[in-house]
Each structure stands twice: as structure tokens, then as C-alpha cells.
Amino acid sequence: RSLFTSDAATLQAAASVWPLVVATQPLNTLAFAFDGLLYGARDFSFCAVGMLLASLPAAAAMLLALAAGYGLKGIWAGLATLMLLRS
């Protein structure tokens, strides 16, 4: 029995990316802490430009990973790229 689903394919997909999701949490923490500091300093334009510049290579990484057949792992690798560049 599972909390959200009992579908085997969904559980397998979630299990396959779980280590990457867990590994990116420190990066997420840093990115969100920097966001908070910059928002507190009212430097919204720097945040916007930083997000734009980080999003471009992250989106490219996701598209390349999907084209190479990495699927959900490729999406999470792209999100990890985004958070790494934002940190």
C-alpha cells in the first residue's frame, strides 16, 4: 500500500529519480536562501535576470536529455542544473 498511488509504473518512476531529488535539496536550499536575501534587499531585477540566465541552460539540458531518452531523470537533471546555476 502506498500513500499516493499503488500504480507500479508510477512507483518505479518515482523510485528511479528519488536519489537525484534528494541530492538536489542542498542546492534548492541555497537558491531559496539567496532568493530571500535578494528579495529582502529589494533586488528583484537581479533575481529576474539570474533566473532567466539560469533557465536557458537548464531548459537546454532538459531538452537534450529528453531527446536522448532519459525521460524523467533528464527532467530532474535539468532542474538540478537550474538550481546549481541559481545557487
Side-chain angles (χ1 to χ4, degrees):
R1 181 159 183 222
S2 178
L3 182 60
F4 298 108
T5 184
S6 58
D7 180 63
T10 302
L11 293 171
Q12 165 57 26
S16 73
V17 296
W18 187 250
L20 185 55
V21 173
V22 171
T24 61
Q25 294 311 299
L27 292 174
N28 294 344
T29 301
L30 285 172
F32 300 148
F34 289 140
D35 283 347
L37 289 171
L38 292 169
Y39 292 166
R42 297 189 175 273
D43 200 351
F44 301 111
S45 60
F46 183 83
C47 289
V49 171
M51 178 60 95
L52 175 67
L53 294 176
S55 296
L56 296 174
M62 287 181 205
L63 291 172
L64 289 171
L66 286 175
Y70 287 104
L72 189 57
K73 288 180 183 178
I75 295 296
W76 276 100
L79 289 171
T81 301
L82 175 68
M83 289 303 168
L84 177 66
L85 295 173
R86 290 185 61 220
S87 304

